[in-house]
Amino acid sequence: MTESSLRKEELDRVTILFCGDSGDGMQLTGSQFTSTSALFGNDVSTFPDYPSEIRAPAGSLAGVSAFQLNFSSMPIHTPGDTPDTLVAMNPAALKVYLPKLKPKGMLIVNEDAFSDANLKKAGYEENPLEGTELADQFRLKRVPITTLTVRALEDVEIESRGKKRCKNFFALGLVYWLYGRPLDATLRWIDEKFSKAPQVAEANRRALETGYRLGETEESFAVSYHVAKAPTEPGTYRIVNGNEASALGFATAARLAAKPLVYSSYPITPATDVLHELAKLKHLDVRTIQYEDEIAAMGSAIGAAFGGTFSLTGTSGPGVCLKSEAINLAIMLELPIVILNVQRGGPSTGMPTKTEQADLLQVFAGRNGESPVPILAAANPADCFDVAIEAFRIAVRHMTPVFMLTDGYIANGAEPWRIPRFQDLEPIEVAHLSDPEGFLPYGRDNATLARPWVIPGTPGMEHRLGGLEKQDGTGAVSYDPDNHEHMCRLRAEKVDRIADFVPEARVDGPQEGDLLVLSWGGTFGAVYSACQEVRAKGRAVAHLHLRHLNPFPRGLGQVLSSYEKILIPELNLGQLAMLIRARYLVDAVSLTKIKGRPFTISEVEQKIEEMLS
């Protein structure tokens, strides 16, 4: 194929889905393409999709791993609805993800993997590559990826199995050529990653370059595509996923208060990477402690907060269940602790690697007695940084545990993040009383109702804490019924007053009209994009995204009353809708989904059109 025979097409955006066996390196392939596209100047959004089994049988449907990414010359907020290109490394991956590929989309398959044994594992009675159905519906490209990879590495001195494992870089090189991506960043990554294994580095480098050259020479790839750079604000950017951004936000919050950060946790999917990331930040006075179980981790968090540090614990839904009694103790003690819940599919062990938003009611009321806790939720990976800082700001200002909610979609998904300057961030004010004159352990700040945060051992300010009801002011154990009701109402009012310190509800779109779409957490991208699409058609639809779920922001009731219809999309069976209907007496309509996958833009758009019509 000559240069003159090659056509190049300009595209605004492209969605690619890499899929294969969990040992095929699809997450690495996708993350390398993402980083390269971000360095090129595109806006990017990703959705890694892991199998729930630690190591499902090779070639099985349960063992398929995938990575979807959307890169664009304009701002984007989701990893895309349907892939333009699907790269399937084996029959199981093809069977699981082919239904997502858009009609006439490009389908690149590793035909070497379509053996009788693999076809049987995937449930195919016949080889789908042999008929005409795939070629009629899609732009099918059958490539012997494994064979070509091994042939390219004939003189590289690594074992045969190791050569075959390089096939993901061959596929990556081919797709790099297809979409005009440079190889430089990935070649540098290979050299750094395998600096102590030069033969492995050479194998991966050669596989990448050979895949790229196949695109240049193979006549069936007669068209390549170009996606221009996206407009961005000046600044320094990096690709960040939600867990990374959360960790950076928590560490930054502690530095803004000149405090050490103590992270007490027990590993659990999909929150474990927060522990990994914070463990790298010892130089920022971050201490990470892995405990034997969730109960111990929560007890440690209480001790760290009592000792005067910025105290953090992280988990997922099942871990919150185990922490609940100790969280209630922290509420009674009125200590500042941030509890990160990276939600996943439930109930019980559920679907550990799949996303869900079904823990809202659990964190809202999943404890005995009247036990209110502030709740914040991040909207996307980059937003986790800001929400982490705000969670600690609220915790120490109001002396209360605070829940921060993300989910598997946000935690593992990635996007460009503009790194802020530390000096531009608002400091977090922390005051530890040291004058014993007039000291009361449960005395109150007039504005926030927060009690004092006293460092243990401060002379003249010794006091006892425990889980029994407190006498107002003195903190002595009290069984007085009037005092108990007073304290329950006081703790509730303390949480309610947080609304006076956070922004009012703000609507994107018309300030009144036919329909308001209310979202929270990781539904932001799909809902925001769907509302934009519908407004572009001349329909009057507004969007309000909630970061604060307890208390709700000021003015929310007035906003809700300004629209005839309310739609609330959630990855649960309608938990926010239940709270909104109960609190504001509006006939909110739920759009629910609990399939372990985020909403697509089209799903939300279809429901909006249905309600408007």
Side-chain angles (χ1 to χ4, degrees), residues 133-185:
E133 185 176 353
L134 287 181
D136 290 342
Q137 296 182 52
F138 309 104
R139 289 175 289 156
L140 176 62
K141 309 294 183 183
R142 299 174 55 173
V143 182
I145 293 176
T146 305
T147 298
L148 293 176
T149 302
V150 172
R151 186 181 302 165
L153 308 183
E154 281 179 346
D155 59 345
V156 180
E157 295 181 0
I158 62 173
E159 61 181 10
S160 175
R161 182 180 178 185
K163 294 177 180 179
K164 292 179 180 178
R165 291 181 64 183
C166 296
K167 62 183 180 292
N168 63 322
F169 276 100
F170 184 100
L172 178 61
L174 175 58
V175 182
Y176 271 168
W177 175 86
L178 188 62
Y179 290 104
R181 309 285 93 176
L183 302 181
D184 300 0

Side-chain angles (χ1 to χ4, degrees), residues 125-337:
E125 295 183 2
E126 298 179 352
N127 189 340
L129 304 184
E130 299 300 337
T132 61
E133 185 176 353
L134 287 181
D136 290 342
Q137 296 182 52
F138 309 104
R139 289 175 289 156
L140 176 62
K141 309 294 183 183
R142 299 174 55 173
V143 182
I145 293 176
T146 305
T147 298
L148 293 176
T149 302
V150 172
R151 186 181 302 165
L153 308 183
E154 281 179 346
D155 59 345
V156 180
E157 295 181 0
I158 62 173
E159 61 181 10
S160 175
R161 182 180 178 185
K163 294 177 180 179
K164 292 179 180 178
R165 291 181 64 183
C166 296
K167 62 183 180 292
N168 63 322
F169 276 100
F170 184 100
L172 178 61
L174 175 58
V175 182
Y176 271 168
W177 175 86
L178 188 62
Y179 290 104
R181 309 285 93 176
L183 302 181
D184 300 0
T186 298
L187 290 172
R188 285 195 301 271
W189 181 90
I190 290 172
D191 289 340
E192 293 171 6
K193 178 69 174 179
F194 302 108
S195 59
K196 296 181 179 180
Q199 291 299 313
V200 176
E202 173 62 20
N204 283 300
R205 184 166 50 244
R206 193 178 297 187
L208 180 75
E209 293 171 340
T210 304
Y212 192 92
R213 286 197 297 271
L214 178 72
E216 292 179 320
T217 57
E218 175 59 48
E219 292 189 3
S220 64
F221 292 95
V223 182
S224 66
Y225 304 92
H226 179 259
V227 178
K229 297 180 179 181
T232 56
E233 294 182 39
T236 302
Y237 288 80
R238 61 165 286 184
I239 290 291
V240 69
N241 67 35
N243 280 341
E244 292 169 338
S246 295
L248 291 170
F250 293 133
T252 301
R255 301 314 305 148
L256 289 170
K259 281 283 190 180
L261 174 68
V262 176
Y263 183 53
S264 309
S265 80
Y266 175 77
I268 183 171
T269 302
T272 303
D273 280 344
V274 177
L275 173 62
H276 298 162
E277 293 301 320
L278 286 172
K280 302 173 184 177
L281 304 179
K282 292 182 177 67
H283 61 289
L284 296 178
D285 208 3
V286 175
R287 297 93 181 268
T288 54
I289 312 171
Q290 178 178 318
Y291 281 91
E292 68 271 21
D293 56 41
E294 297 282 6
I295 299 171
M298 189 63 215
S300 169
I302 292 173
F306 179 60
T309 70
F310 266 36
S311 180
L312 169 70
T313 187
T315 187
S316 189
V320 174
C321 297
L322 293 166
K323 292 179 186 288
S324 293
E325 183 178 4
I327 292 171
N328 236 0
L329 174 60
I331 293 170
M332 180 63 80
L333 302 180
E334 299 186 44
L335 287 172
I337 302 170

Side-chain angles (χ1 to χ4, degrees), residues 463-529:
H463 59 284
R464 67 177 183 177
L465 294 175
L468 294 174
E469 183 60 276
K470 303 291 177 282
Q471 177 69 41
D472 190 14
T474 67
V477 174
S478 173
Y479 294 98
D480 177 61
D482 292 334
N483 177 75
H484 174 58
E485 177 159 345
H486 166 71
M487 292 298 286
C488 286
R489 292 185 182 277
L490 189 149
R491 286 186 289 262
E493 184 182 351
K494 181 172 73 166
V495 172
D496 289 342
R497 286 196 186 186
I498 293 171
D500 296 335
F501 295 83
V502 300
E504 293 188 18
R506 292 190 178 91
V507 171
D508 177 49
Q511 300 302 297
E512 59 181 20
D514 297 332
L515 178 63
L516 172 70
V517 187
L518 189 66
S519 62
W520 72 276
T523 60
F524 168 79
V527 173
Y528 177 81
S529 301

Side-chain angles (χ1 to χ4, degrees), residues 5 28 135 140 144 149 271 345-347 350 374 376 397 403 432 452 456 464 468 497 516 522 562-563 572 604 611:
S5 65
L28 173 59
L140 176 62
T149 302
L376 292 81
R397 184 173 57 208
F403 264 108
H432 295 297
R464 67 177 183 177
L468 294 174
R497 286 196 186 186
L516 172 70
S562 300
Y563 298 87
N572 56 47
V604 180
M611 292 185 68

